[in-house]
Amino acid sequence: MAESTDKPGTGRHAKRIRSILVTQPKPANDVSPYFAIAEKYGIKVDFREFIQVDPVSYKDFRKEKINIADHTAIIFTSRNAVDHFFRICQEAKLEMPAEMKYFCISEQTANYLQKYIVLRKRKLFVGQRTAADLFDVIKKHKNEKFLYPCSDIRKDDIPEFMRANGFKFSEAVIYRTVASDLSDLSDVKYDCIAFFSPSGISSLFVNFPDFVQDGTRIAAFGPTTAKAVRDAGLELDIEAPLPNAPSMTGAIEAYIRYHHGAEIAKEQARNNKQKA
């Protein structure tokens, strides 16, 4: 939940959260936990991507001198990686052989593969959520030649693991992560801003170099994002995933209940009394 040890309703946490900026795309439909939070607590929730993904052209990819067909296994850590890998394959007029093995960081990423291949006919291996979860699975396939399609900005954990354990391994940059142009936003004066990657924090200061946190609560998903928040000199208020809050929305709601639960309960009681 909150990093601060302030008691509920004290210090910088006393101000009630009435607006949240989620630094991700708006969900395609109304079935989202963010909308449930907005309705339940009377909070305005806005969505805006702080980073964008630019494709690496097939021409530039060829300069990396990586032959996809030389590999027997692919490691996917995101949907972006899946999309841009198969884009490159399409431009190269390359069809994946039936014996190709796919190692996915999570069930979500594995399911997304169905957009390009028939999963029941493929050799698929899935981790729980993090790269570390996938390492135990990869260790059982020492004889494969792995390809890791990724962004120009990525964590070091997978490359370091592969090299340290002597795997045959290639890394291919197939897309780039850059700061979005947020010049149309007059400011970022929200009660809470939710970040999901270190790149999102970088984008904040690229677009708003004079940003001052003041009473804005900062939420971060994942340890690398949390570190980027602290490294930027910001105070981290809400962190996920945690055992009691595995999702960002769960962590935000836990924070709201802890710091403003009594106030919200009184307000809801007044509203119910008025309706009676």
Side-chain angles (χ1 to χ4, degrees), residues 187-222:
D187 56 48
V188 281
K189 297 298 183 183
Y190 286 81
D191 296 326
C192 177
I193 306 178
F195 291 95
F196 300 84
S197 71
S199 299
I201 301 297
S202 298
S203 179
L204 172 68
F205 287 100
V206 166
N207 283 278
F208 305 98
D210 299 322
F211 175 78
V212 178
Q213 184 173 359
D214 289 333
T216 299
R217 269 53 61 90
I218 300 294
F221 190 88

Coordinates of all heavy atoms in Angstrom, one line a residue, residues 187-222:
D187 N -1.2 20.8 -17.6 CA -0.4 20.5 -16.4 C -0.7 19.1 -16.0 O -1.5 18.4 -16.7 CB -0.6 21.4 -15.3 CG -2.1 21.5 -14.9 OD1 -2.7 20.4 -14.7 OD2 -2.7 22.6 -14.7
V188 N -0.1 18.6 -15.0 CA -0.3 17.3 -14.4 C -0.7 17.4 -13.0 O -0.2 16.7 -12.1 CB 0.9 16.3 -14.6 CG1 1.0 15.8 -16.0 CG2 2.2 17.0 -14.2
K189 N -1.7 18.3 -12.7 CA -2.1 18.5 -11.3 C -3.2 17.5 -11.0 O -4.4 17.8 -11.0 CB -2.6 19.9 -11.2 CG -1.6 21.0 -11.4 CD -0.4 20.9 -10.4 CE 0.6 22.0 -10.6 NZ 1.8 21.8 -9.7
Y190 N -2.8 16.3 -10.7 CA -3.7 15.3 -10.2 C -3.4 14.9 -8.8 O -2.3 15.1 -8.3 CB -3.6 14.0 -11.1 CG -4.2 14.2 -12.5 CD1 -3.5 14.9 -13.5 CD2 -5.5 13.7 -12.8 CE1 -4.1 15.0 -14.8 CE2 -6.1 13.9 -14.0 CZ -5.4 14.5 -15.0 OH -5.9 14.7 -16.3
D191 N -4.4 14.4 -8.1 CA -4.2 13.9 -6.7 C -3.3 12.7 -6.7 O -2.6 12.4 -5.7 CB -5.5 13.7 -6.0 CG -6.3 14.9 -5.8 OD1 -5.7 16.0 -5.6 OD2 -7.6 14.8 -5.9
C192 N -3.3 11.9 -7.8 CA -2.6 10.7 -7.8 C -2.2 10.4 -9.3 O -3.0 10.6 -10.2 CB -3.3 9.5 -7.3 SG -2.5 7.9 -7.4
I193 N -0.9 10.0 -9.5 CA -0.5 9.7 -10.9 C 0.1 8.2 -10.8 O 1.0 8.0 -9.9 CB 0.6 10.6 -11.4 CG1 0.1 12.1 -11.4 CG2 1.0 10.2 -12.9 CD1 1.1 13.1 -11.9
A194 N -0.4 7.4 -11.6 CA 0.0 6.0 -11.6 C 1.0 5.7 -12.7 O 0.7 5.9 -13.9 CB -1.2 5.0 -11.7
F195 N 2.2 5.2 -12.4 CA 3.3 4.9 -13.4 C 3.5 3.4 -13.4 O 3.4 2.7 -12.4 CB 4.6 5.6 -13.0 CG 4.5 7.1 -13.1 CD1 4.2 7.9 -12.0 CD2 4.8 7.7 -14.4 CE1 4.2 9.3 -12.2 CE2 4.7 9.1 -14.5 CZ 4.4 9.8 -13.4
F196 N 3.9 2.9 -14.6 CA 4.1 1.5 -14.8 C 5.5 1.1 -15.4 O 5.7 -0.1 -15.6 CB 3.0 1.0 -15.8 CG 1.6 1.2 -15.2 CD1 1.0 2.4 -15.4 CD2 1.0 0.2 -14.5 CE1 -0.3 2.6 -14.9 CE2 -0.3 0.4 -14.0 CZ -0.9 1.6 -14.2
S197 N 6.3 2.1 -15.6 CA 7.7 1.8 -16.1 C 8.6 3.0 -15.8 O 8.1 4.1 -15.6 CB 7.7 1.5 -17.6 OG 7.4 2.7 -18.3
P198 N 9.9 2.7 -15.7 CA 10.8 3.8 -15.5 C 10.7 4.8 -16.7 O 10.9 6.0 -16.5 CB 12.2 3.2 -15.5 CG 11.9 1.8 -15.0 CD 10.6 1.4 -15.6
S199 N 10.4 4.4 -17.9 CA 10.2 5.3 -19.0 C 9.1 6.3 -18.8 O 9.2 7.4 -19.3 CB 9.9 4.4 -20.3 OG 11.0 3.6 -20.6
G200 N 8.1 5.9 -18.1 CA 7.0 6.8 -17.8 C 7.5 8.0 -16.9 O 7.1 9.1 -17.1
I201 N 8.4 7.7 -15.9 CA 8.9 8.7 -15.1 C 9.8 9.6 -15.9 O 9.7 10.9 -15.7 CB 9.8 8.1 -13.9 CG1 8.9 7.1 -13.1 CG2 10.4 9.2 -13.1 CD1 7.8 7.8 -12.4
S202 N 10.6 9.1 -16.8 CA 11.4 9.9 -17.7 C 10.6 10.8 -18.5 O 10.9 12.0 -18.7 CB 12.3 9.0 -18.6 OG 13.2 8.2 -17.8
S203 N 9.5 10.3 -19.0 CA 8.6 11.1 -19.9 C 8.0 12.2 -19.1 O 7.8 13.3 -19.7 CB 7.5 10.2 -20.5 OG 6.6 10.9 -21.2
L204 N 7.7 12.0 -17.8 CA 7.1 13.1 -17.0 C 8.0 14.3 -17.0 O 7.6 15.4 -17.2 CB 6.9 12.6 -15.6 CG 6.5 13.6 -14.5 CD1 5.1 14.1 -14.8 CD2 6.6 13.1 -13.1
F205 N 9.3 14.1 -16.8 CA 10.3 15.2 -16.7 C 10.7 15.7 -18.1 O 11.2 16.8 -18.2 CB 11.5 14.8 -15.8 CG 11.1 14.7 -14.4 CD1 10.8 13.4 -13.8 CD2 11.0 15.8 -13.6 CE1 10.5 13.4 -12.4 CE2 10.6 15.7 -12.3 CZ 10.4 14.5 -11.7
V206 N 10.6 14.9 -19.1 CA 10.9 15.4 -20.4 C 9.8 16.4 -20.8 O 10.1 17.5 -21.4 CB 10.9 14.2 -21.5 CG1 10.8 14.7 -22.9 CG2 12.2 13.4 -21.3
N207 N 8.6 16.1 -20.5 CA 7.5 17.0 -20.8 C 7.2 18.1 -19.8 O 6.8 19.2 -20.2 CB 6.2 16.1 -21.0 CG 6.1 15.4 -22.3 OD1 5.8 15.9 -23.3 ND2 6.5 14.1 -22.2
F208 N 7.5 17.8 -18.6 CA 7.3 18.8 -17.5 C 8.6 18.9 -16.6 O 8.6 18.4 -15.5 CB 6.1 18.4 -16.7 CG 4.8 18.2 -17.5 CD1 4.4 16.9 -17.8 CD2 4.1 19.3 -17.9 CE1 3.3 16.7 -18.6 CE2 2.9 19.1 -18.6 CZ 2.5 17.8 -19.0
P209 N 9.6 19.5 -17.2 CA 10.9 19.5 -16.4 C 10.8 20.2 -15.1 O 11.7 20.0 -14.2 CB 11.8 20.3 -17.4 CG 10.9 21.0 -18.3 CD 9.7 20.2 -18.5
D210 N 9.8 21.1 -14.9 CA 9.7 21.8 -13.6 C 8.6 21.2 -12.7 O 8.2 21.8 -11.8 CB 9.3 23.3 -13.9 CG 10.3 24.0 -14.7 OD1 11.5 23.8 -14.5 OD2 10.0 24.8 -15.6
F211 N 8.3 19.9 -13.0 CA 7.3 19.3 -12.2 C 7.7 19.2 -10.7 O 8.8 18.9 -10.3 CB 7.1 17.8 -12.7 CG 6.1 17.0 -11.8 CD1 4.7 17.2 -11.9 CD2 6.6 16.1 -10.9 CE1 3.9 16.5 -11.1 CE2 5.7 15.4 -10.1 CZ 4.4 15.5 -10.2
V212 N 6.7 19.6 -9.9 CA 6.9 19.6 -8.4 C 5.8 18.7 -7.8 O 4.6 18.9 -8.2 CB 6.8 21.0 -7.8 CG1 6.9 20.9 -6.3 CG2 7.9 21.9 -8.3
Q213 N 6.1 17.7 -7.0 CA 5.1 16.8 -6.5 C 4.1 17.4 -5.6 O 2.9 17.1 -5.7 CB 5.8 15.6 -5.8 CG 4.8 14.5 -5.4 CD 5.6 13.3 -4.8 OE1 6.8 13.3 -4.7 NE2 4.8 12.3 -4.4
D214 N 4.5 18.2 -4.7 CA 3.6 18.8 -3.7 C 2.7 17.7 -3.1 O 3.2 16.8 -2.5 CB 2.7 19.9 -4.4 CG 3.5 21.2 -4.7 OD1 4.5 21.4 -4.1 OD2 3.1 21.9 -5.7
G215 N 1.4 17.9 -3.2 CA 0.5 16.9 -2.6 C 0.1 15.7 -3.5 O -0.7 14.9 -3.1
T216 N 0.7 15.6 -4.7 CA 0.3 14.5 -5.6 C 0.9 13.2 -5.1 O 2.1 13.1 -4.8 CB 0.9 14.8 -7.0 OG1 0.3 16.0 -7.5 CG2 0.6 13.7 -7.9
R217 N 0.0 12.2 -5.0 CA 0.5 10.9 -4.6 C 1.0 10.2 -5.8 O 0.4 10.2 -6.9 CB -0.7 10.1 -4.0 CG -0.8 10.2 -2.5 CD -0.9 11.6 -1.9 NE -2.0 12.4 -2.4 CZ -3.2 12.5 -1.8 NH1 -3.4 11.8 -0.7 NH2 -4.1 13.3 -2.3
I218 N 2.1 9.5 -5.7 CA 2.8 8.8 -6.8 C 2.6 7.3 -6.5 O 2.9 6.8 -5.5 CB 4.3 9.1 -6.9 CG1 4.5 10.6 -7.2 CG2 4.9 8.3 -8.1 CD1 3.9 11.1 -8.5
A219 N 2.0 6.6 -7.6 CA 1.9 5.1 -7.5 C 2.8 4.5 -8.5 O 2.9 5.0 -9.6 CB 0.4 4.8 -7.8
A220 N 3.4 3.4 -8.2 CA 4.3 2.7 -9.1 C 4.1 1.2 -9.1 O 3.9 0.6 -8.1 CB 5.8 3.0 -8.6
F221 N 4.1 0.7 -10.3 CA 4.0 -0.8 -10.5 C 5.3 -1.4 -10.8 O 5.9 -1.1 -11.8 CB 2.9 -1.1 -11.6 CG 2.6 -2.6 -11.6 CD1 1.5 -3.0 -10.8 CD2 3.3 -3.5 -12.3 CE1 1.2 -4.4 -10.8 CE2 3.0 -4.8 -12.3 CZ 1.9 -5.3 -11.6
G222 N 5.8 -2.3 -9.9 CA 7.0 -3.0 -10.2 C 8.2 -2.3 -9.5 O 8.2 -1.1 -9.3

